[in-house]
Amino acid sequence: MAVETTDYKWQGSTTDCHCCCCCPWKTKYGAELVAEANNPNVRLVSPFSAPASEIIGRAFAGTPTQDAEQSIHWMMGEKYDDLNNPQRQSLIQMFITCGGRLTALSSTGAMLGDYNEQGELRAVLISRRLNGPPSDTCLTCYLCCTGSLVCEMMCCSCCAPDADNMSKRSEAVEKTFKKLHGTHGKGDHIYVNVVAVSPEHQGKGSCSRLVKTVSGVADKSSIPCYLECAGARNAKIYERFGYEVKETCKLEVPNKPDLPSYDELQAMVRPAGGGKAN
């Protein structure tokens, strides 16, 4: 949740090694996205882009004027409520970036970016074309795609306050996402994994351009799109693009009634050919 503070400062950082930056990331699916956008300011972004990673971190971690992504906020726990906590900022940046790289570096994935006229990256959307729910990622693929970032994330997580409960909440998030995708992402579809807009560019059309581009590619193949989002406010944003809430579920840690739950994780589907866009 956004907080009122006058001393907010983004301090998230990583020592990410780009040893895998030669991994192929300009896929056929990515080329379809660029062609559909038909806009020189909408183009593919390397999954190892530092500006993209920072935008993801800032968008998901929350600022004084923008709420944190609530499923991630729940996962971090009460001891990480302070938006100014640099460890919180860095962990969220690493967690979402790692998952996004796995999607973007797959043979049918891509990271699409929206730039301003000065070449500044404003927003990213990570998606992947699938023929069913994604299979479990092997450890070798995980290390190859995420580089040293996953090692740094694991070290930071182990040293974090309340590390044990954070690990349990993280496992609950992963299991719930997997269950929802297995239920609502059957058959050919496009999985919208991450949408992140730089806080200072919120409400200026970047999200719309990127989401509509993915929808256009899906419509050409007559396949649906699938995503997860947290909270009614985010769901209403995606409803404008034809997505429909298919299930709302609770995030909770089994056998831990003392830990708070989060009740508004939603699975959304945009039907093949487009839903009821607002």
Side-chain angles (χ1 to χ4, degrees):
M1 178 177 295
V3 297
E4 291 297 329
T5 178
T6 57
D7 59 355
Y8 172 79
K9 181 181 180 183
W10 173 256
Q11 303 172 80
S13 64
T14 70
T15 55
D16 187 14
C17 170
H18 292 188
C19 58
C20 298
C21 61
C22 58
C23 289
W25 50 270
K26 294 185 177 180
T27 62
K28 178 183 177 182
Y29 170 65
E32 290 177 20
L33 290 172
V34 172
E36 177 65 28
N38 193 28
N39 182 333
N41 292 331
V42 176
R43 51 188 187 267
L44 294 180
V45 183
S46 166
F48 293 92
S49 161
S53 180
E54 181 174 325
I55 286 174
I56 288 169
R58 293 175 65 208
F60 278 78
T63 73
T65 58
Q66 177 189 314
D67 287 348
E69 201 282 338
Q70 290 302 294
S71 64
I72 300 301
H73 188 67
W74 175 83
M75 185 191 78
M76 298 301 293
E78 299 81 2
K79 294 188 178 181
Y80 272 123
D81 272 346
D82 182 7
L83 298 187
N84 257 329
N85 186 318
Q87 191 175 25
R88 167 197 158 91
Q89 295 172 346
S90 297
L91 273 170
I92 291 175
Q93 179 177 354
M94 288 185 276
F95 184 82
I96 306 299
T97 299
C98 280
R101 281 184 186 172
L102 285 172
T103 299
L105 285 170
S106 70
S107 60
T108 57
M111 180 187 286
L112 193 66
D114 183 67
Y115 292 80
N116 63 16
E117 297 299 332
Q118 290 72 45
E120 177 188 9
L121 186 62
R122 298 180 287 199
V124 295
L125 186 154
I126 303 173
S127 61
R128 180 183 179 187
R129 181 164 180 164
L130 292 165
N131 57 10
S135 57
D136 291 335
T137 305
C138 69
L139 180 60
T140 301
C141 291
Y142 201 94
L143 291 173
C144 180
C145 289
T146 60
S148 65
L149 192 60
V150 67
C151 300
E152 184 183 357
M153 179 181 69
M154 292 173 68
C155 289
C156 289
S157 299
C158 290
C159 299
D162 200 28
D164 183 56
N165 283 331
M166 185 190 295
S167 176
K168 288 182 172 64
R169 285 188 290 259
S170 175
E171 184 178 345
V173 169
E174 184 177 356
K175 286 184 176 179
T176 305
F177 275 41
K178 185 175 181 179
K179 171 182 172 292
L180 289 173
H181 202 157
T183 302
H184 303 288
K186 297 176 180 178
D188 286 350
H189 67 283
I190 292 178
Y191 176 38
V192 179
N193 179 220
V194 173
V195 181
V197 182
S198 181
E200 58 269 26
H201 294 296
Q202 289 277 330
K204 297 181 181 179
S206 290
C207 175
S208 179
R209 278 187 290 276
L210 296 178
V211 173
K212 286 181 177 179
T213 297
V214 171
S215 298
V217 170
D219 288 347
K220 282 184 168 58
S221 297
S222 298
I223 59 174
C225 298
Y226 168 81
L227 57 81
E228 305 99 357
C229 76
R233 178 177 175 274
N234 284 333
K236 287 188 178 300
I237 291 173
Y238 292 113
E239 284 173 352
R240 299 202 322 252
F241 304 110
Y243 284 82
E244 303 166 1
V245 175
K246 293 299 183 181
E247 184 176 351
T248 300
C249 66
K250 177 186 290 188
L251 287 174
E252 58 186 346
V253 178
N255 305 315
K256 283 280 188 176
D258 54 316
L259 294 178
S261 62
Y262 176 70
D263 301 334
E264 290 189 82
L265 182 66
Q266 291 156 329
M268 302 190 72
V269 173
R270 180 182 184 273
K276 297 178 181 178
N278 297 322

